[in-house]
Amino acid sequence: MSLWYSITFLGDSAFTVPGACAVALWLGLNGWWRQMLRWLFIFGTAMMIVVITKLLYMGWNIAPPLLYNFTGISGHSASATALYLTVAVLLTEGRAPRWRMLAIAAAGVLVLAVGMSRFMIRVHSASEIVTGLTLGALAAWWFCRGLSDSGRALRGGIVMAAAAAFLLMGTSGQPAPTHDLLKQLAQSLSGRDQAYTRSIPL
């Protein structure tokens, strides 16, 4: 189980949010200002959708009727998918198509492992993980389809990696307390003493 916990941390907001900021910095250093703003907007929008679905359930017990055992989109799955698929595409800008295919395949395996880890440590249902993976993939696709076909490779990959490492130093390897914060926010917005919790065991 310790392996699954290590894998699941790769999707934690303590890891993916600094990673997303590092990607934005990387784009800015290359002069891709428009793409930097698009990335921040798209990644932020995807994460906001995750937050809204969680607040709706915790505060008012609202969930899509067709999704079984759904308490909100898996933020780990969504953020990891959006981030790692996008990084795979950016790393292979200006390179041969086979390298892009390999990078995207490797990123796909990684994000599926993150999604599976959420199921294995029993914090998310299948519907929450699938919707998270889907949302993250849509976010990555939306961003990447807007990239200019200049054939120019992005410079400063080492700078991006160093920025991500620097931003991560503040986490001390600890998960972000996002669930507890959302729970408190849901109680405050709904006026309930207790937030709604999962009624069907995983």
Side-chain angles (χ1 to χ4, degrees):
M1 291 300 291
S2 60
L3 174 61
W4 289 117
Y5 279 103
S6 298
I7 293 174
T8 211
F9 183 69
L10 296 176
D12 194 274
S13 58
F15 194 95
T16 57
V17 170
C21 292
V23 169
L25 176 62
W26 188 24
L27 292 168
L29 288 174
N30 280 271
W32 290 24
W33 303 108
R34 178 173 172 271
Q35 304 302 339
M36 180 188 75
L37 294 175
R38 285 188 72 250
W39 165 247
L40 290 173
F41 173 76
I42 291 171
F43 186 84
T45 298
M47 295 305 98
M48 184 58 63
I49 292 172
V50 171
V51 168
I52 290 172
T53 62
K54 290 178 179 291
L55 289 178
L56 286 174
Y57 182 84
M58 290 181 182
W60 296 272
N61 196 25
I62 297 175
L66 299 180
L67 295 179
Y68 177 74
N69 202 5
F70 185 85
T71 65
I73 296 173
S74 168
H76 283 64
S77 301
S79 62
T81 305
L83 176 63
Y84 299 132
L85 289 181
T86 297
V87 168
V89 172
L90 292 177
L91 283 173
T92 52
E93 276 290 294
R95 292 178 170 79
R98 67 177 181 275
W99 292 114
R100 171 157 291 180
M101 292 178 62
L102 286 172
I104 292 175
V109 171
L110 176 60
V111 300
L112 287 175
V114 171
M116 179 61 71
S117 72
R118 304 304 287 166
F119 185 80
M120 294 301 295
I121 65 176
R122 305 182 71 80
V123 292
H124 276 301
S125 67
S127 65
E128 294 159 358
I129 294 166
V130 170
T131 52
L133 294 172
T134 302
L135 175 61
L138 287 173
W141 170 80
W142 183 15
F143 171 75
C144 293
R145 71 185 294 269
L147 292 174
S148 60
D149 190 18
S150 63
R152 179 170 65 89
L154 287 168
R155 305 183 311 274
I158 295 177
V159 174
M160 189 272 286
F166 176 77
L167 292 169
L168 284 168
M169 288 174 61
T171 69
S172 301
Q174 298 298 318
T178 51
H179 182 78
D180 292 338
L181 291 174
L182 288 176
K183 184 177 178 180
Q184 294 174 13
L185 180 58
Q187 291 175 210
S188 177
L189 292 174
S190 65
R192 290 177 52 83
D193 294 332
Q194 296 292 330
Y196 285 99
T197 57
R198 189 185 305 279
S199 58
I200 303 174
L202 290 172

